[in-house]
Amino acid sequence: MSNKKNIVGAQVSSLRPYLQTPQELRASLQKLADMGYRTVQMQWWNPEFEPELVAAAVRDAGLTCVSTQDLYTAVRDDFERTVRLNVLCGSTCVCVSGIPAPVPDTASVLAFSAELAAMAARIAPLGMTLAFHPRAREWAPADTAEPGLSCTELLLEHTPQNVTLGLDLYHSGKAGLAPDALLRRWAGRVEFVHFKDYCIAPDGSETLVPVGQGVTDWSAAVDACRETGVRWAFAEQERWEKDAFLCMRESLDAMRAWGFEP
């Protein structure tokens, strides 16, 4: 059992419609702070905002941004701006998602791994790591004709340790993988986890719900987070059937009841 604290935070992408003006950004971050969040991962604010504005809004709400996240191509194409925001926030993790290949195969994954290694090397002198956030599709085999390692496994095996794993438990579950097994296999290399829950309606449609209110059995994942010393666990919910801020509060309440600390 690890002695590291498991810290619950908010993935701010959950509030995307409420991050489009400076006033909305400040009000939304303040609401997260008022309900008890202390840590955030920043994503999906208005891209026209300057990093200084975003960092000031985080700071003035009394929050700590420990990571940003965006598509790999977006970070690559606006790298200096992304790094500047992380520096201003005191963040230690730049997270990217999406393998930029229409149908990833071994060759494209290995080429992408080299790109990630180079990006990680650029931010390492700033005390930052680079995290890769796999979606369900990136847990598929790299070569469907000859199944073996998944794209993500192949990527991690061909990148240095400062390319870490941002493990979205919703997406890995959709890929048919056991979250606790993934957490233990990559122990020490998981930068953070995303907790996102859902329900299935009688017609088969999916609805996102606050963490702990859906069909996901989180017990094994929570135990594995404790055992492996995962530092940050972010509540995430980008679609809602009720007030978005109430959903974030209810997710926080559930994760605190499981032992995660603000």
Coordinates of all heavy atoms in Angstrom, one line a residue, residues 170-226:
Y170 N -12.8 5.6 -17.9 CA -14.0 5.4 -18.8 C -13.6 4.8 -20.1 O -14.1 3.8 -20.6 CB -14.7 6.7 -19.0 CG -15.7 6.8 -20.0 CD1 -17.1 6.5 -19.7 CD2 -15.4 7.3 -21.3 CE1 -18.1 6.5 -20.7 CE2 -16.4 7.4 -22.3 CZ -17.7 7.0 -22.0 OH -18.7 7.1 -22.9
H171 N -12.6 5.4 -20.8 CA -12.2 4.9 -22.1 C -11.5 3.5 -22.0 O -11.8 2.7 -22.9 CB -11.2 5.9 -22.7 CG -11.8 7.1 -23.3 ND1 -12.5 7.0 -24.5 CD2 -12.0 8.4 -22.9 CE1 -13.0 8.2 -24.8 NE2 -12.7 9.0 -23.9
S172 N -10.7 3.3 -21.0 CA -10.1 1.9 -20.9 C -11.2 0.9 -20.6 O -11.2 -0.2 -21.2 CB -9.1 1.9 -19.8 OG -9.6 2.2 -18.6
G173 N -12.2 1.2 -19.9 CA -13.3 0.3 -19.6 C -14.1 0.1 -20.9 O -14.5 -1.1 -21.2
K174 N -14.3 1.1 -21.8 CA -15.0 0.9 -23.0 C -14.2 0.0 -23.9 O -14.8 -0.6 -24.8 CB -15.2 2.3 -23.7 CG -16.2 3.2 -23.1 CD -17.6 2.6 -23.3 CE -18.7 3.5 -22.8 NZ -20.0 3.0 -23.0
A175 N -12.9 0.0 -23.8 CA -12.0 -0.9 -24.6 C -12.0 -2.3 -24.0 O -11.4 -3.2 -24.5 CB -10.6 -0.4 -24.6
G176 N -12.8 -2.6 -22.9 CA -12.9 -3.9 -22.3 C -11.7 -4.3 -21.4 O -11.5 -5.5 -21.1
L177 N -11.0 -3.3 -20.9 CA -9.9 -3.5 -20.0 C -10.2 -3.3 -18.6 O -11.0 -2.4 -18.3 CB -8.7 -2.6 -20.5 CG -8.3 -2.8 -21.9 CD1 -7.2 -1.7 -22.3 CD2 -7.7 -4.2 -22.2
A178 N -9.6 -4.0 -17.7 CA -9.9 -3.8 -16.2 C -9.0 -2.7 -15.7 O -7.8 -2.8 -15.8 CB -9.6 -5.1 -15.5
P179 N -9.6 -1.6 -15.2 CA -8.8 -0.5 -14.8 C -7.8 -0.8 -13.7 O -6.6 -0.3 -13.7 CB -9.9 0.5 -14.2 CG -11.1 0.1 -14.9 CD -11.0 -1.4 -15.1
D180 N -8.1 -1.7 -12.8 CA -7.2 -2.0 -11.7 C -6.0 -2.8 -12.3 O -4.8 -2.5 -11.8 CB -7.9 -2.9 -10.6 CG -8.5 -4.1 -11.2 OD1 -9.2 -4.1 -12.2 OD2 -8.4 -5.2 -10.5
A181 N -6.2 -3.6 -13.3 CA -5.0 -4.3 -13.9 C -4.1 -3.3 -14.6 O -2.9 -3.4 -14.5 CB -5.5 -5.4 -14.9
L182 N -4.7 -2.3 -15.3 CA -3.9 -1.3 -15.9 C -3.1 -0.5 -14.9 O -1.9 -0.2 -15.1 CB -4.8 -0.4 -16.8 CG -5.4 -1.0 -18.1 CD1 -6.3 0.0 -18.7 CD2 -4.3 -1.5 -19.0
L183 N -3.7 -0.1 -13.9 CA -3.1 0.7 -12.8 C -1.9 -0.1 -12.2 O -0.8 0.5 -12.0 CB -4.1 1.1 -11.7 CG -5.0 2.2 -12.1 CD1 -6.3 2.2 -11.2 CD2 -4.3 3.6 -12.1
R184 N -2.1 -1.3 -12.0 CA -1.0 -2.1 -11.4 C 0.1 -2.4 -12.4 O 1.3 -2.4 -12.1 CB -1.5 -3.4 -10.8 CG -2.4 -3.2 -9.6 CD -2.8 -4.5 -8.9 NE -3.5 -4.2 -7.7 CZ -4.9 -4.1 -7.6 NH1 -5.6 -4.4 -8.7 NH2 -5.5 -3.9 -6.5
R185 N -0.2 -2.6 -13.7 CA 0.8 -2.9 -14.7 C 1.7 -1.7 -14.9 O 2.9 -1.8 -15.1 CB 0.1 -3.3 -16.0 CG 1.2 -3.5 -17.1 CD 0.6 -4.0 -18.4 NE 1.7 -4.1 -19.4 CZ 1.5 -4.5 -20.6 NH1 0.3 -4.8 -21.1 NH2 2.5 -4.6 -21.5
W186 N 1.1 -0.5 -15.0 CA 1.8 0.7 -15.2 C 2.1 1.5 -14.0 O 2.3 2.7 -14.0 CB 1.1 1.5 -16.3 CG 0.9 0.8 -17.6 CD1 -0.2 0.2 -18.1 CD2 2.0 0.5 -18.5 NE1 0.0 -0.4 -19.3 CE2 1.3 -0.3 -19.6 CE3 3.3 0.7 -18.6 CZ2 2.1 -0.7 -20.7 CZ3 4.0 0.3 -19.7 CH2 3.4 -0.5 -20.7
A187 N 2.1 0.8 -12.8 CA 2.4 1.5 -11.5 C 3.7 2.3 -11.6 O 4.7 1.8 -12.1 CB 2.4 0.5 -10.4
G188 N 3.6 3.5 -11.2 CA 4.8 4.4 -11.2 C 4.9 5.2 -12.4 O 5.6 6.2 -12.5
R189 N 4.0 4.9 -13.4 CA 4.1 5.6 -14.7 C 2.7 6.3 -15.0 O 2.5 6.9 -16.0 CB 4.5 4.7 -15.8 CG 5.1 5.5 -17.0 CD 5.8 4.6 -18.0 NE 6.1 5.4 -19.2 CZ 6.7 4.8 -20.2 NH1 6.9 3.5 -20.3 NH2 7.0 5.6 -21.3
V190 N 1.7 6.1 -14.1 CA 0.4 6.7 -14.3 C 0.4 8.1 -13.7 O 0.5 8.2 -12.4 CB -0.7 5.8 -13.7 CG1 -2.1 6.5 -13.8 CG2 -0.7 4.5 -14.3
E191 N 0.4 9.1 -14.5 CA 0.4 10.5 -14.0 C -0.8 10.9 -13.3 O -0.8 11.6 -12.2 CB 0.7 11.5 -15.2 CG 1.0 12.9 -14.7 CD 2.5 13.0 -14.2 OE1 3.3 12.1 -14.5 OE2 2.8 14.0 -13.6
F192 N -2.0 10.5 -13.8 CA -3.3 10.8 -13.2 C -4.3 9.8 -13.7 O -4.0 9.1 -14.7 CB -3.7 12.2 -13.4 CG -3.9 12.5 -14.9 CD1 -5.0 12.2 -15.6 CD2 -2.8 13.2 -15.6 CE1 -5.1 12.5 -17.0 CE2 -2.9 13.5 -17.0 CZ -4.1 13.1 -17.6
V193 N -5.5 9.8 -13.1 CA -6.6 9.0 -13.7 C -7.8 10.0 -13.8 O -8.0 10.9 -13.1 CB -7.0 7.8 -12.8 CG1 -5.9 6.8 -12.8 CG2 -7.3 8.2 -11.4
H194 N -8.7 9.6 -14.8 CA -10.0 10.3 -15.0 C -11.0 9.3 -14.5 O -11.1 8.2 -15.0 CB -10.2 10.7 -16.4 CG -9.5 11.9 -16.9 ND1 -9.4 12.2 -18.2 CD2 -8.8 12.8 -16.2 CE1 -8.7 13.3 -18.3 NE2 -8.3 13.7 -17.1
F195 N -11.9 9.8 -13.6 CA -13.1 9.0 -13.2 C -14.3 9.6 -14.0 O -14.6 10.8 -13.8 CB -13.3 9.1 -11.7 CG -12.5 8.2 -10.9 CD1 -11.1 8.4 -10.8 CD2 -13.0 7.1 -10.3 CE1 -10.3 7.5 -10.0 CE2 -12.3 6.2 -9.5 CZ -10.9 6.4 -9.4
K196 N -15.0 8.8 -14.8 CA -16.2 9.3 -15.5 C -17.2 8.2 -15.5 O -16.8 7.0 -15.9 CB -15.8 9.7 -16.9 CG -17.0 10.3 -17.7 CD -16.5 11.1 -18.9 CE -15.7 10.4 -19.9 NZ -15.3 11.2 -21.1
D197 N -18.4 8.4 -15.2 CA -19.4 7.4 -15.0 C -20.6 7.5 -16.0 O -20.8 8.6 -16.6 CB -19.9 7.4 -13.6 CG -20.3 6.0 -13.0 OD1 -20.4 5.1 -13.8 OD2 -20.4 5.9 -11.8
Y198 N -21.3 6.5 -16.2 CA -22.4 6.5 -17.2 C -23.5 5.5 -16.8 O -23.3 4.6 -16.1 CB -21.9 6.3 -18.6 CG -21.4 4.8 -18.8 CD1 -22.2 3.9 -19.4 CD2 -20.1 4.5 -18.3 CE1 -21.7 2.6 -19.6 CE2 -19.6 3.2 -18.5 CZ -20.5 2.2 -19.1 OH -20.0 0.9 -19.3
C199 N -24.7 5.8 -17.4 CA -25.8 4.9 -17.3 C -26.3 4.5 -18.7 O -26.0 5.3 -19.7 CB -27.0 5.5 -16.6 SG -26.8 5.6 -14.8
I200 N -26.9 3.3 -18.9 CA -27.4 2.9 -20.1 C -29.0 2.9 -20.0 O -29.5 2.2 -19.2 CB -26.9 1.5 -20.5 CG1 -25.4 1.5 -20.6 CG2 -27.5 1.1 -21.8 CD1 -24.8 2.4 -21.7
A201 N -29.6 3.6 -20.9 CA -31.1 3.7 -21.0 C -31.6 2.4 -21.6 O -30.9 1.7 -22.2 CB -31.5 4.9 -21.7
P202 N -32.9 2.1 -21.4 CA -33.6 0.9 -22.0 C -33.4 0.9 -23.5 O -33.3 -0.2 -24.0 CB -35.0 1.1 -21.6 CG -35.0 1.9 -20.3 CD -33.9 2.8 -20.5
D203 N -33.3 2.0 -24.2 CA -33.1 2.0 -25.6 C -31.6 1.8 -26.0 O -31.3 1.8 -27.2 CB -33.7 3.3 -26.2 CG -32.9 4.5 -25.8 OD1 -31.9 4.4 -25.0 OD2 -33.3 5.6 -26.2
G204 N -30.8 1.6 -25.0 CA -29.4 1.4 -25.3 C -28.5 2.6 -25.4 O -27.3 2.5 -25.5
S205 N -29.1 3.8 -25.3 CA -28.3 5.1 -25.3 C -27.6 5.3 -24.0 O -28.0 4.8 -23.0 CB -29.3 6.2 -25.6 OG -30.2 6.4 -24.6
E206 N -26.5 6.0 -24.1 CA -25.7 6.3 -22.9 C -25.8 7.7 -22.4 O -25.9 8.6 -23.2 CB -24.2 6.0 -23.3 CG -23.2 6.3 -22.2 CD -21.8 6.1 -22.6 OE1 -21.4 5.0 -22.8 OE2 -21.1 7.2 -22.8
T207 N -25.9 7.8 -21.1 CA -25.9 9.1 -20.4 C -24.8 9.2 -19.4 O -24.6 8.3 -18.6 CB -27.3 9.3 -19.7 OG1 -28.4 9.2 -20.6 CG2 -27.4 10.6 -19.0
L208 N -24.0 10.3 -19.5 CA -23.0 10.5 -18.4 C -23.7 11.0 -17.2 O -24.6 11.8 -17.2 CB -22.0 11.5 -18.9 CG -21.2 11.1 -20.1 CD1 -20.1 12.2 -20.4 CD2 -20.5 9.8 -19.9
V209 N -23.2 10.5 -16.0 CA -23.8 10.8 -14.7 C -22.6 11.1 -13.8 O -21.4 10.8 -14.0 CB -24.6 9.7 -14.2 CG1 -25.9 9.5 -15.0 CG2 -23.8 8.4 -14.0
P210 N -22.9 11.7 -12.6 CA -21.8 12.0 -11.6 C -21.1 10.6 -11.2 O -21.8 9.6 -11.2 CB -22.6 12.6 -10.4 CG -23.7 13.3 -11.1 CD -24.1 12.4 -12.2
V211 N -19.9 10.7 -10.9 CA -19.1 9.5 -10.5 C -19.8 8.8 -9.3 O -20.2 9.5 -8.3 CB -17.7 9.9 -10.0 CG1 -16.9 8.7 -9.6 CG2 -17.0 10.6 -11.2
G212 N -20.0 7.5 -9.4 CA -20.6 6.8 -8.4 C -22.1 6.6 -8.6 O -22.8 5.8 -7.8
Q213 N -22.7 7.2 -9.6 CA -24.1 7.1 -9.8 C -24.5 6.3 -11.1 O -25.6 6.2 -11.5 CB -24.8 8.5 -9.9 CG -24.6 9.3 -8.7 CD -25.3 10.7 -8.7 OE1 -26.2 10.9 -9.6 NE2 -24.9 11.6 -7.9
G214 N -23.5 5.7 -11.7 CA -23.7 4.9 -12.9 C -23.5 3.4 -12.7 O -23.6 2.9 -11.6
V215 N -23.2 2.8 -13.8 CA -23.1 1.3 -13.8 C -21.7 0.8 -13.5 O -21.5 -0.4 -13.3 CB -23.5 0.8 -15.2 CG1 -24.9 1.1 -15.5 CG2 -22.6 1.3 -16.3
T216 N -20.7 1.7 -13.4 CA -19.4 1.3 -13.2 C -19.2 0.9 -11.7 O -19.6 1.6 -10.8 CB -18.4 2.5 -13.5 OG1 -18.7 3.0 -14.8 CG2 -17.0 2.0 -13.4
D217 N -18.5 -0.2 -11.5 CA -18.1 -0.7 -10.2 C -16.7 -0.1 -10.0 O -15.7 -0.6 -10.6 CB -18.1 -2.2 -10.1 CG -17.7 -2.7 -8.7 OD1 -17.3 -1.8 -7.9 OD2 -17.7 -3.9 -8.5
W218 N -16.6 0.9 -9.1 CA -15.3 1.6 -9.0 C -14.4 1.0 -7.9 O -13.3 1.4 -7.7 CB -15.5 3.1 -8.6 CG -16.1 3.9 -9.7 CD1 -17.4 4.4 -9.8 CD2 -15.5 4.3 -11.0 NE1 -17.6 5.1 -10.9 CE2 -16.5 5.0 -11.7 CE3 -14.3 4.0 -11.5 CZ2 -16.2 5.5 -12.9 CZ3 -14.0 4.6 -12.8 CH2 -14.9 5.3 -13.5
S219 N -14.9 0.0 -7.2 CA -14.2 -0.5 -6.0 C -12.7 -1.0 -6.3 O -11.8 -0.6 -5.6 CB -14.9 -1.6 -5.3 OG -15.2 -2.6 -6.2
A220 N -12.6 -1.8 -7.4 CA -11.3 -2.3 -7.7 C -10.3 -1.2 -8.1 O -9.1 -1.2 -7.8 CB -11.4 -3.3 -8.8
A221 N -10.8 -0.2 -8.9 CA -10.0 0.9 -9.4 C -9.6 1.8 -8.2 O -8.4 2.2 -8.1 CB -10.8 1.7 -10.4
V222 N -10.5 2.0 -7.3 CA -10.1 2.8 -6.1 C -9.0 2.2 -5.3 O -8.1 2.8 -4.8 CB -11.4 3.1 -5.2 CG1 -11.0 3.8 -3.9 CG2 -12.4 4.0 -6.0
D223 N -9.2 0.8 -5.0 CA -8.2 0.1 -4.3 C -6.8 0.2 -5.0 O -5.8 0.3 -4.4 CB -8.6 -1.4 -4.2 CG -9.7 -1.5 -3.1 OD1 -10.0 -0.6 -2.4 OD2 -10.3 -2.6 -3.1
A224 N -6.8 0.0 -6.4 CA -5.6 0.1 -7.1 C -4.9 1.4 -7.1 O -3.7 1.5 -7.1 CB -5.9 -0.4 -8.6
C225 N -5.8 2.5 -7.1 CA -5.2 3.9 -6.9 C -4.5 4.0 -5.6 O -3.4 4.6 -5.5 CB -6.3 4.9 -7.0 SG -6.9 5.2 -8.7
R226 N -5.0 3.4 -4.6 CA -4.4 3.5 -3.2 C -3.1 2.7 -3.2 O -2.1 3.2 -2.8 CB -5.3 2.9 -2.2 CG -6.6 3.8 -1.9 CD -7.2 3.3 -0.5 NE -8.5 3.9 -0.3 CZ -9.6 3.3 -0.6 NH1 -9.7 2.0 -1.0 NH2 -10.8 3.9 -0.3

